[in-house]
Amino acid sequence: YDVGRVGRDFYISMELLDGETLEDRILKARRLGRVSPFLDNPRATLTLLAEAARAVHYAHSRLEPIIHCDLKPSNILIDPSGRPHILDFGLAVTRKQDGPDPGMITGTPSYMAPEQVSGRSEEIDARTDVYAFGSVLYETLTGRPPFVGDPLDVLQKTLEVAPQAPGGALEAARLRSANAPKARPIPPFIEEIC
């Protein structure tokens, strides 16, 4: 609502949001042995993600496009009415401003695009967020990001390996989970988008 300064202290006044993050929903599904929130309610999950994608697109389509650079499930808050909100623009850049210094790596490894991983910050644009959103979609479908492991291993895999297809990852997760119901197949068009 407002930004300003009182003495030497700067402030940002914003709407107070209540709810749970998409990460909370993913972890809750895992704790209940359900692998992913997608299996609980595919239509609601995909509708939620589509609305979040429209919010990211809005940021990209502004006169001065805003690139989030750190999209991940913990940065998508779902309010009590079920609407998603994109949070934490702390690493965001605009195309008109200088982004991170060349060679600087910023973001969360499991959701970083190859240009972020390799420090090619001059290549960061809307596609960087599209890649991250694809990783969020993947995790929401399968219960885990496309690559897991220690951060350096994840970064290397991002540059060198194609992730397992979401349908295969979902089935593997279901087989590992003792209480998981039979996995619904991921619709082919969703798997292709992911």
Side-chain angles (χ1 to χ4, degrees), residues 95 113-116 118-128:
R95 294 312 302 152
E115 61 274 12
Q116 285 176 288
S118 61
R120 297 187 320 264
S121 57
E122 69 281 356
E123 295 179 23
I124 290 175
D125 60 21
R127 295 170 294 181
T128 304

Side-chain angles (χ1 to χ4, degrees), residues 113-115 117-118 120 131 147 154-161:
E115 61 274 12
V117 169
S118 61
R120 297 187 320 264
Y131 182 97
F147 301 114
V154 169
L155 296 175
Q156 183 175 0
K157 287 177 182 175
T158 298
L159 293 173
E160 298 175 358
V161 180

Side-chain angles (χ1 to χ4, degrees), residues 86-108:
I86 307 298
L87 306 177
D88 192 3
F89 282 78
L91 295 179
V93 297
T94 62
R95 294 312 302 152
K96 291 183 180 178
Q97 81 180 47
D98 294 330
D101 293 332
M104 184 176 199
I105 298 175
T106 59
T108 303

Side-chain angles (χ1 to χ4, degrees), residues 61-179:
S61 63
R62 297 184 48 88
L63 185 58
E64 190 172 326
I66 299 169
I67 313 304
H68 190 282
C69 295
D70 198 24
L71 287 172
K72 56 188 173 184
S74 63
N75 285 339
I76 300 173
L77 183 111
I78 304 153
D79 70 23
S81 69
R83 299 204 55 189
H85 301 266
I86 307 298
L87 306 177
D88 192 3
F89 282 78
L91 295 179
V93 297
T94 62
R95 294 312 302 152
K96 291 183 180 178
Q97 81 180 47
D98 294 330
D101 293 332
M104 184 176 199
I105 298 175
T106 59
T108 303
S110 290
Y111 310 95
M112 289 170 62
E115 61 274 12
Q116 285 176 288
V117 169
S118 61
R120 297 187 320 264
S121 57
E122 69 281 356
E123 295 179 23
I124 290 175
D125 60 21
R127 295 170 294 181
T128 304
D129 284 349
V130 170
Y131 182 97
F133 203 85
S135 295
V136 169
L137 172 60
Y138 190 102
E139 184 170 3
T140 306
L141 295 171
T142 68
R144 68 169 181 83
F147 301 114
V148 294
D150 73 66
L152 291 177
D153 188 40
V154 169
L155 296 175
Q156 183 175 0
K157 287 177 182 175
T158 298
L159 293 173
E160 298 175 358
V161 180
Q164 182 180 19
L170 178 60
E171 181 60 18
R174 187 192 68 76
L175 292 173
R176 285 192 306 273
S177 180
N179 300 328

Side-chain angles (χ1 to χ4, degrees), residues 17 32 43 46 83 87 180 183:
L17 294 173
L32 296 173
R43 181 177 302 278
L46 295 176
R83 299 204 55 189
L87 306 177

